[in-house]
Amino acid sequence: MASALAAEPGGLRGDVVKREVRAAAVVVAAIAAVGALAGVAWAFLAPAEQFLVVEPDRGSALTGESMHRFDALAIFVLIGVVAGVLTAAGSWRRRRVRGPILLTGILIGSLAGAFLTKVVGEAVAEQLHTRPKHPAVHTIVEFAPSVEGWAALIAQPLAAAVVVLLLTALSTSDDLGTGEYLPFGGNRPEPVVLAPPQYGSAISYGPYPGSNAGTQFTPRDPVVPFDAPGAESETR
């Protein structure tokens, strides 16, 4: 007996779509909040750049201090990767809303979170590393760290997308464990049993030679009884 599935897609279910949209909105807000907290952490971790005031309103970077600009950027990228991995894994725990809508929410939230990490982090860093407006000559002042360039913002959404891709590939169920076989609440196809045709044979058994159809088989040659060796001598 063979079986097959009738793959007839059902219509969209509004309640499922609304549920997934609400869940995606919550995910966006949660990831954005995590990004703001990550910005505060970055402000405390990123090193400031020190300058020596050589003339009024002019300074020169001390030896090795210019490397802190790269350090601040590297710390920002690492924090974004960690935040992207953790938020994507946490969002994937919401089993019933897994799908393209949740993925969209994760990506939008990760991009917004990276932006808030930059804005909040630079604002907090300015408060931590304040400097006078007109410092005296031969004094050392600190410049707050900053994130140069916008390319660093894609680290968090990229890490989140890779995590979701790996979790999707490792999933053992076609519906990702949501209970909805098709995206956006499509109906699950019902199994249909297909019975194979009856087996037949092309071999036909006709009448044997020397007999008519429907009559008892009669051999052409008379049957001669077989005498075992030595039977003739015993008779004699």
Side-chain angles (χ1 to χ4, degrees), residues 3-150:
S3 62
L5 292 178
E8 295 179 2
L12 300 183
R13 291 173 51 189
D15 56 339
V16 177
V17 175
K18 291 180 181 179
R19 182 183 65 199
E20 293 183 359
V21 170
R22 288 195 299 267
V26 173
V27 168
V28 171
I31 296 178
V34 171
L37 295 177
V40 177
W42 174 83
F44 282 93
L45 295 176
E49 188 176 0
Q50 294 183 346
F51 284 81
L52 174 65
V53 180
V54 294
E55 295 179 4
D57 298 332
R58 294 187 63 183
S60 175
L62 299 178
T63 303
E65 289 295 317
S66 58
M67 296 296 297
H68 290 331
R69 299 167 62 184
F70 172 79
D71 298 337
L73 181 61
I75 294 174
F76 180 87
V77 171
L78 292 177
I79 290 178
V81 170
V82 173
V85 171
L86 295 180
T87 53
S91 301
W92 188 259
R93 296 290 298 173
R94 307 195 64 175
R95 182 182 301 271
R96 294 189 62 192
V97 294
R98 292 174 182 174
I101 296 180
L102 179 63
L103 175 60
T104 303
I106 292 175
L107 296 180
I108 294 176
S110 298
L111 188 59
F115 177 77
L116 288 177
T117 302
K118 172 181 170 61
V119 174
V120 175
E122 290 179 348
V124 174
E126 287 289 343
Q127 299 298 323
L128 294 177
H129 306 282
T130 58
R131 64 180 185 276
K133 294 184 178 179
H134 301 286
V137 181
H138 301 303
T139 58
I140 297 177
V141 296
E142 291 183 345
F143 279 78
S146 61
V147 179
E148 299 180 359
W150 296 94

Side-chain angles (χ1 to χ4, degrees), residues 143-215:
F143 279 78
S146 61
V147 179
E148 299 180 359
W150 296 94
L153 299 182
I154 67 173
Q156 183 172 344
L158 181 61
V162 171
V163 170
V164 174
L165 178 62
L166 292 178
L167 292 176
T168 303
L170 294 176
S171 179
T172 57
S173 56
D174 294 337
D175 57 0
L176 301 179
T178 61
E180 304 291 343
Y181 188 80
L182 299 177
F184 310 111
N187 296 328
R188 183 187 294 270
E190 297 294 336
V192 177
V193 178
L194 300 178
Q198 295 182 354
Y199 293 98
S201 177
I203 302 175
S204 61
Y205 298 93
Y208 291 98
S211 64
N212 297 326
T215 61

